[in-house]
Amino acid sequence: VIRDVAAQWRTYNRPRALALFSMLDFNTEHLLGHGPLSSGRDAQDEDGVVYRAFPGHGLQFHPLANFAKLNSYLGANRLDEASLLGLALIARGVPRGNSLSWEYNFQFGSGKPPWTSGMAQAVAAQAFARGQDKLADPAFAAAARKAFQAIPGKLVRSLPEGLFIRLYS
């Protein structure tokens, strides 16, 4: 985890540093109290932020798992937890122009950190839109709009039924 965090030192900005150093802190606390998790297992911090275990990378901030958890809280009307997690995720969204992206901070396949996923972005936009409906929090509406804007145009198709987002180019 230290190697993954240190490798991005040239790109630290407020949200990226929050995601990276919160992840490092969570790994330290979790390892001291619980020991390592097996690959693919999840753990959550006090804000509900999800970290997933990857071999050689420890517990990593995992955007898709986080937005799935946010959707789960919203679907179960666990609105206090949804609000807490949603705001923690908004704080970790990396701005690019008028958009927000949530990044993976470790190498996986051909993805070099920081990398993003069209699927995670689409689920983020959907979760924040659902959160706006249930929580009436304008921060969620803005995050939904900004998450959608981060999806590359080549992945968005307009169909008669509505927008369709391809997972991969």
Side-chain angles (χ1 to χ4, degrees):
V1 178
I2 292 170
R3 182 182 60 240
D4 291 335
V5 171
Q8 295 188 57
W9 70 272
R10 286 186 174 100
T11 64
Y12 292 163
N13 59 20
R14 183 180 300 266
R16 191 173 286 136
L18 174 62
L20 290 167
F21 288 102
S22 296
M23 179 178 71
L24 184 59
D25 185 52
F26 184 75
N27 271 271
T28 302
E29 290 178 22
H30 194 274
L31 286 171
L32 287 172
H34 307 284
L37 287 177
S38 57
S39 180
R41 298 288 309 269
D42 291 345
Q44 291 177 245
D45 70 12
E46 65 276 355
D47 291 331
V49 174
V50 178
Y51 298 91
R52 182 162 291 168
F54 287 90
H57 298 282
L59 292 162
Q60 290 283 323
F61 174 73
H62 197 276
L64 184 57
N66 275 287
F67 293 113
K69 178 58 76 175
L70 180 57
N71 267 321
S72 173
Y73 284 154
L74 291 163
N77 286 317
R78 294 169 61 180
L79 301 184
D80 289 340
E81 292 159 300
S83 180
L84 187 64
L85 175 57
L87 294 174
L89 294 173
I90 290 169
R92 287 163 174 79
V94 178
R96 290 188 177 103
N98 291 327
S99 69
L100 280 179
S101 294
W102 287 268
E103 301 173 337
Y104 292 86
N105 297 300
F106 61 100
Q107 186 160 345
F108 187 79
S110 63
K112 294 185 180 174
W115 56 275
T116 59
S117 158
M119 183 189 314
Q121 287 298 130
V123 176
Q126 188 271 334
F128 284 126
R130 177 178 284 158
Q132 165 57 30
D133 288 345
K134 291 202 171 218
L135 299 168
D137 184 334
F140 278 63
R145 191 171 44 259
K146 290 178 179 186
F148 180 75
Q149 289 172 343
I151 300 168
K154 65 185 176 186
L155 297 181
V156 178
R157 297 266 170 95
S158 203
L159 300 175
E161 299 82 8
L163 291 176
F164 174 79
I165 300 171
R166 295 174 53 199
L167 299 183
Y168 307 103
S169 59

